[in-house]
Amino acid sequence: MKAWMELYPEKGLSSETFQAVLLTTSSFVNLVQHLFEDYEFEFVLLGSLQSDKLEKRFSWYRQASGGNYYVSSRQILQTENKIKVLSLVKFRHLDIRHCDISSNEISSFNCND
């Protein structure tokens, strides 16, 4: 990767992206070597080492905040409360129109069946 970047500096990745890819790749190599040598793993599923679930959650935060890339801690807490309420409504088969979710505390909302 370093040789490719040196050959074609004007094409390809920004300096920040290149550094991130280089760090991620070398970290994976070191992790796999460590698991093979020190823990005698027979194989490592690198696809299991990903951040898709975390990225999906932050996508929810951004969408719930009007599509803003930068969300505040308050917006994250409000979105978490909304997600919890919707999950409870979905899995308890409740009608959200009968739920009082005006409180900021998730533990204090009421639903009438």
Side-chain angles (χ1 to χ4, degrees):
M1 284 187 64
K2 289 180 184 178
W4 176 76
M5 196 63 176
E6 289 171 5
L7 283 174
Y8 306 103
E10 69 283 346
K11 296 180 182 178
L13 307 173
S14 69
S15 170
E16 293 83 7
T17 302
F18 174 73
Q19 291 299 323
V21 169
L22 194 60
L23 177 65
T24 302
T25 305
S26 63
S27 297
F28 274 152
V29 169
N30 290 334
L31 173 64
V32 169
Q33 286 175 340
H34 173 68
L35 293 173
F36 283 159
E37 293 169 6
D38 297 340
Y39 292 95
E40 299 178 3
F41 275 42
E42 293 182 29
F43 58 91
V44 177
L45 300 174
L46 292 177
S48 298
L49 305 173
Q50 55 167 304
S51 60
D52 286 351
K53 290 182 181 181
L54 180 64
E55 290 176 16
K56 182 179 180 181
R57 193 61 149 213
F58 273 91
S59 173
W60 289 351
Y61 298 151
R62 288 190 291 274
Q63 289 303 312
S65 302
N68 283 335
Y69 184 78
Y70 301 103
V71 295
S72 69
S73 56
R74 173 182 241 166
Q75 290 169 319
I76 289 174
L77 293 173
Q78 289 171 341
T79 303
E80 278 299 317
N81 278 343
K82 290 176 189 176
I83 291 169
K84 289 175 186 175
V85 167
L86 291 173
S87 295
L88 286 171
V89 167
K90 179 180 177 182
F91 293 113
R92 290 191 178 177
H93 306 294
L94 300 172
D95 188 343
I96 197 163
R97 292 173 291 187
H98 299 121
C99 295
D100 175 18
I101 55 173
S102 58
S103 171
N104 287 333
E105 292 296 320
I106 191 67
S107 60
S108 67
F109 85 95
N110 294 315
C111 287
N112 301 321
D113 296 350

